[in-house]
Every structure is written in C-alpha cells, then in structure tokens.
Amino acid sequence: MEGGTRGALLAALRLQLDWGADEALLEAPADRTRPPPAAPEPSRPPRPAAPGRIALPPAAAEAGALAAGAATLAALREAMAAFGGSPLRETATSLVFADGVAESGLMLIGEAPGADEDRLGRPFVGASGQLLDRMLASIGLDRGRNFYITNILPFRPPGNRTPTDAEIALFLPFVLRHVALAAPRRLVLLGGVAAKALLGAREGITRLRGRWHQVTLPDGTAIPALATLHPAYLLRNPAAKRDAWADLLLLRRSLDAD
Ligand code: URA
C-alpha cells in the first residue's frame, strides 16, 4: 500500500477512536447512511400532551411500564433486555445488570459500564472496579458477601462518554425498580451521575459527597444514600482518595451502628 494512503487510513481510524468507535460490532461494515425502509403509517396519531405537561417520548412510557411490571430481579433483568427504546443497546455488547449479593442490605450505584464491563457483562470489573473493591475491602466489605452493585445505565455509552440527561431519564425507572426490588437499607452513590440522577440534585459531587442523603422511591420509601467520589475519578486524581477514605469511614460507622 502506498505510504500516503496508509497514513490517511490510519488517521481516519484514529479519528474513529476519538469519536468512540473503538470496537467492531459486525463482521462486515453496515452502511448507516442509507435511508431506512419506509415505516408503516401509524394507525393512530400520537396523543397531544396535556397543556402545561412535558410529553414523554414513547420509549420513556415503555421503560416505566416494563419496570413497574417486573416483580423480581430476574424479571427486571429480562424486561431491560427486552427494552428496545435506547440506541445504546445497539452499540453495546452486553446488558450489564448487577453483581454481588442483592440481599446484603447495601447497594452501590455507579454511572455506566466501561469497555471491560461491556465485554464481561458485569459492573465494575475494570481498573476503577478493582480500585473500588480494594477500597471496600479496607472497611471489611466484599462483593461476594456484603454488597450489591449496579449502574444508572445498563449499556456502555460509545467511547465511555458521559451519559446524556435523556439517557439517564430513560433508564431511571429501571434503576428505581432495581432499588425497590433489592430493598437495600443503604445506598452508596458513586460519582456525580448517580448522585444527581437519584437525588435530583443540582450540585456537583464534590458538594454532595461526604453526607447521607435520601433517595425516595415511587412508593414513597426513603432510603439513606451516601454520595461519594467515583473510583475512576480517584484513579485520575489520587489526592482525592483522602476524601473518599473519609466517606468510607462514614459508611463503616453507619454499618456498625446496626
Ligand atoms: N464505571 C462505572 O460507573 N460503572 C462500571 O460498571 C464501571 C466503571
């Protein structure tokens, strides 16, 4: 191959990586620029929103109905696998549901799967998950015995980009149902995405961390929730481990008070 052509192809590949296209999904390339086949005419026109109300996209209504209909964690996992309302499903390899002991009384919630989690189908198994496991082990907690862990999004956003507000809102009914079914006595919210999504807060994680808040479920149940820094942030900012350690001690003290 001529040097110039090879260089251009490598640059194009590098650009794809910058944009987050870092995995092959199909054996052969798919032409996504081709117009989709004509959709059948809808039999009923969409209902207009009631005045003063925000019209929920149909996918949000579907997510809410699927989540509400799940009576067990296994059923919830199936419902999420059946949910076709998010394009993230098309670019992810796996549905990353949860790991650990659902009945432990302690549930941790992160942001979204990364590349390792997407490949293995389990949350927090990559570098940040390994750091998290070490941190929790330092206060006597073990994933195989005394905590349960999941994410706000069950699918990896391409290129590990931050989830959009719309993606978070779409998956929130599943997360709230997940919490209701696991029925933990305490939640730990790992990072700003989880903290903001579940606390409805406007402040960033540096203001929210280090305190117990409450997450209120649709049935009114309030669950104490500790907000703390995300382990991926700690990998990038080792000086912040001091704050994370203070948060871990808060958690340990609360567990010891049982
Ligand atoms: N970061 C997350 O928020 N979740 C994971 O599962 C892995 C990394």
Side-chain angles (χ1 to χ4, degrees), residues 110-114 117 122-125 128 151 230:
E111 180 177 316
E117 290 76 18
R122 289 170 57 208
F124 284 99
V125 289
S128 64
N151 282 303
H230 193 286

Side-chain angles (χ1 to χ4, degrees), residues 8-18 21:
L9 284 174
L10 282 174
L13 266 178
R14 234 173 264 129
L15 184 65
Q16 295 289 320
L17 284 173
D18 287 344

Side-chain angles (χ1 to χ4, degrees), residues 12-170:
L13 266 178
R14 234 173 264 129
L15 184 65
Q16 295 289 320
L17 284 173
D18 287 344
W19 284 345
D22 57 358
E23 276 166 47
L25 298 174
L26 302 169
E27 291 297 323
D31 181 359
R32 301 200 191 273
T33 59
R34 227 183 9 209
E41 284 290 306
S43 48
R44 261 193 302 150
R47 250 192 309 159
R53 287 235 210 114
I54 296 169
L56 285 177
E62 185 195 348
L66 281 170
T72 62
L73 290 171
L76 182 67
R77 185 191 195 124
E78 271 178 34
M80 288 164 72
F83 176 54
S86 170
L88 290 178
R89 192 183 133 141
E90 310 308 324
T91 49
T93 307
S94 321
L95 167 80
V96 178
F97 184 69
D99 200 13
V101 183
E103 308 75 28
S104 62
L106 176 62
M107 182 168 184
L108 279 65
I109 305 182
E111 180 177 316
D116 293 316
E117 290 76 18
D118 184 45
R119 196 163 35 83
L120 298 173
R122 289 170 57 208
F124 284 99
V125 289
S128 64
Q130 288 162 24
L131 171 62
L132 182 68
D133 281 347
R134 288 198 299 278
M135 288 163 51
L136 291 166
S138 74
I139 56 160
L141 299 178
D142 178 306
R143 199 187 280 226
R145 287 188 302 129
N146 31 34
F147 67 91
Y148 186 55
I149 188 161
T150 186
N151 282 303
I152 296 289
L153 297 191
F155 296 114
R156 179 193 183 209
N160 292 348
R161 64 164 169 73
T162 303
T164 64
D165 288 349
E167 286 163 350
I168 293 169
L170 194 56

